[in-house]
Amino acid sequence: AYGTAGFRGDAASLPFVIYRCGIVAGLRAQHCQDRVGLMITASHNPASDNGVKLVESDGSMLSAAWEVIATRIVNAGREVQSTVDQVRRELGVESSSTQFCVFVGRDTRASSRALCDLAKNGIKDV
Protein backbone atom coordinates (compact mmCIF):
# COMPACT_ATOMS: atom_id res chain seq x y z
CA ALA A 1 0.00 0.00 0.00
CA TYR A 2 1.14 3.52 -0.70
CA GLY A 3 1.14 6.03 2.10
CA THR A 4 2.37 9.53 2.71
CA ALA A 5 4.23 9.62 6.00
CA GLY A 6 5.22 13.26 6.12
CA PHE A 7 4.12 16.86 5.98
CA ARG A 8 3.14 19.27 3.21
CA GLY A 9 2.26 22.94 2.96
CA ASP A 10 3.32 26.29 1.63
CA ALA A 11 7.10 26.11 1.32
CA ALA A 12 7.56 29.35 3.28
CA SER A 13 5.95 27.74 6.35
CA LEU A 14 8.03 24.54 6.25
CA PRO A 15 11.58 25.35 7.42
CA PHE A 16 11.13 24.28 11.05
CA VAL A 17 9.05 21.26 9.96
CA ILE A 18 11.73 20.04 7.57
CA TYR A 19 14.52 20.60 10.11
CA ARG A 20 12.62 18.60 12.72
CA CYS A 21 11.85 15.83 10.20
CA GLY A 22 15.61 15.57 9.75
CA ILE A 23 15.86 14.96 13.48
CA VAL A 24 13.12 12.32 13.28
CA ALA A 25 14.87 10.57 10.38
CA GLY A 26 18.13 10.48 12.31
CA LEU A 27 16.45 9.11 15.42
CA ARG A 28 14.62 6.48 13.37
CA ALA A 29 17.85 5.37 11.67
CA GLN A 30 19.58 5.13 15.06
CA HIS A 31 16.68 3.23 16.60
CA CYS A 32 16.26 0.66 13.83
CA GLN A 33 20.01 0.53 13.09
CA ASP A 34 19.21 0.69 9.39
CA ARG A 35 18.93 3.27 6.64
CA VAL A 36 16.02 5.70 6.47
CA GLY A 37 14.95 7.96 3.62
CA LEU A 38 13.84 11.59 3.62
CA MET A 39 12.50 13.16 0.42
CA ILE A 40 11.69 16.82 -0.15
CA THR A 41 8.86 16.84 -2.69
CA ALA A 42 5.30 17.90 -3.41
CA SER A 43 5.24 16.98 -7.05
CA HIS A 44 1.48 17.00 -7.60
CA ASN A 45 0.73 20.19 -5.67
CA PRO A 46 0.89 23.91 -6.51
CA ALA A 47 4.37 25.30 -7.20
CA SER A 48 4.37 27.31 -3.96
CA ASP A 49 3.95 24.11 -1.93
CA ASN A 50 6.55 21.64 -0.85
CA GLY A 51 6.71 18.76 1.57
CA VAL A 52 8.71 16.01 3.16
CA LYS A 53 8.21 12.26 3.13
CA LEU A 54 9.92 9.82 5.46
CA VAL A 55 10.42 6.20 4.44
CA GLU A 56 11.78 3.03 5.97
CA SER A 57 14.87 1.26 4.65
CA ASP A 58 12.79 -0.88 2.26
CA GLY A 59 11.08 2.18 0.77
CA SER A 60 7.79 1.62 2.59
CA MET A 61 6.11 4.43 4.44
CA LEU A 62 7.26 5.24 7.95
CA SER A 63 5.67 2.96 10.53
CA ALA A 64 2.51 4.23 12.23
CA ALA A 65 4.28 4.42 15.60
CA TRP A 66 6.96 6.64 14.07
CA GLU A 67 4.37 8.86 12.39
CA VAL A 68 3.11 9.61 15.90
CA ILE A 69 6.67 10.39 17.02
CA ALA A 70 7.24 12.62 13.96
CA THR A 71 4.06 14.57 14.67
CA ARG A 72 5.04 14.92 18.31
CA ILE A 73 8.50 16.30 17.49
CA VAL A 74 7.33 18.58 14.68
CA ASN A 75 4.61 20.06 16.91
CA ALA A 76 6.78 20.34 20.05
CA GLY A 77 6.97 24.14 19.94
CA ARG A 78 9.85 25.62 21.89
CA GLU A 79 10.23 22.40 23.86
CA VAL A 80 11.63 20.48 20.89
CA GLN A 81 14.91 19.52 22.58
CA SER A 82 13.19 18.21 25.70
CA THR A 83 10.72 16.31 23.48
CA VAL A 84 13.58 14.75 21.50
CA ASP A 85 15.35 13.83 24.76
CA GLN A 86 12.16 12.25 26.09
CA VAL A 87 11.67 10.24 22.88
CA ARG A 88 15.30 9.06 23.14
CA ARG A 89 14.69 7.86 26.71
CA GLU A 90 11.40 6.15 25.79
CA LEU A 91 13.04 4.27 22.90
CA GLY A 92 16.38 3.62 24.57
CA VAL A 93 18.24 5.48 21.82
CA GLU A 94 21.60 6.78 22.97
CA SER A 95 22.70 10.22 21.88
CA SER A 96 24.83 10.59 18.79
CA SER A 97 27.30 7.84 19.72
CA THR A 98 25.63 5.47 17.23
CA GLN A 99 26.45 5.78 13.53
CA PHE A 100 23.45 5.94 11.24
CA CYS A 101 22.53 6.64 7.62
CA VAL A 102 19.77 8.81 6.18
CA PHE A 103 19.38 9.14 2.42
CA VAL A 104 18.11 12.59 1.47
CA GLY A 105 16.58 13.50 -1.87
CA ARG A 106 14.75 16.47 -3.33
CA ASP A 107 12.79 17.51 -6.36
CA THR A 108 13.55 20.52 -8.57
CA ARG A 109 11.18 23.03 -7.02
CA ALA A 110 12.73 26.40 -6.24
CA SER A 111 12.33 25.86 -2.48
CA SER A 112 13.71 22.33 -2.40
CA ARG A 113 17.43 23.04 -2.16
CA ALA A 114 17.12 25.24 0.94
CA LEU A 115 14.65 22.83 2.56
CA CYS A 116 16.98 19.93 1.82
CA ASP A 117 19.81 21.77 3.58
CA LEU A 118 17.56 22.25 6.63
CA ALA A 119 16.77 18.52 6.70
CA LYS A 120 20.49 17.75 6.59
CA ASN A 121 21.08 20.13 9.49
CA GLY A 122 18.42 18.34 11.53
CA ILE A 123 20.03 15.00 10.76
CA LYS A 124 23.46 16.32 11.79
CA ASP A 125 22.04 17.65 15.05
CA VAL A 126 20.93 14.18 16.12
Side-chain angles (χ1 to χ4, degrees):
Y2 175 76
T4 56
F7 302 87
R8 179 186 66 83
D10 184 88
S13 69
L14 290 176
F16 84 93
V17 172
I18 303 294
Y19 172 80
R20 291 177 182 191
C21 282
I23 292 172
V24 171
L27 288 173
R28 178 63 180 143
Q30 282 184 324
H31 183 253
C32 68
Q33 298 180 353
D34 204 348
R35 296 171 299 261
V36 171
L38 184 151
M39 180 68 181
I40 307 295
T41 185
S43 58
H44 295 94
N45 296 301
S48 62
D49 282 5
N50 216 323
V52 58
K53 294 180 182 179
L54 301 166
V55 297
E56 300 287 3
S57 62
D58 64 358
S60 64
M61 65 185 251
L62 195 66
S63 74
W66 273 87
E67 284 193 56
V68 172
I69 291 168
T71 300
R72 187 170 151 200
I73 290 173
V74 166
N75 293 321
R78 295 175 195 254
E79 299 82 33
V80 66
Q81 187 58 56
S82 62
T83 301
V84 169
D85 292 343
Q86 184 176 5
V87 167
R88 279 188 182 284
R89 284 190 301 276
E90 290 168 4
L91 298 171
V93 175
E94 297 293 323
S95 75
S96 61
S97 61
T98 306
Q99 287 191 337
F100 60 93
C101 179
V102 178
F103 288 98
V104 179
R106 65 178 174 86
D107 65 14
T108 58
R109 288 172 183 254
S111 60
S112 292
R113 183 179 302 271
L115 292 174
C116 188
D117 289 343
L118 288 167
K120 291 176 187 177
N121 289 340
I123 294 163
K124 289 176 188 173
D125 287 347
V126 170

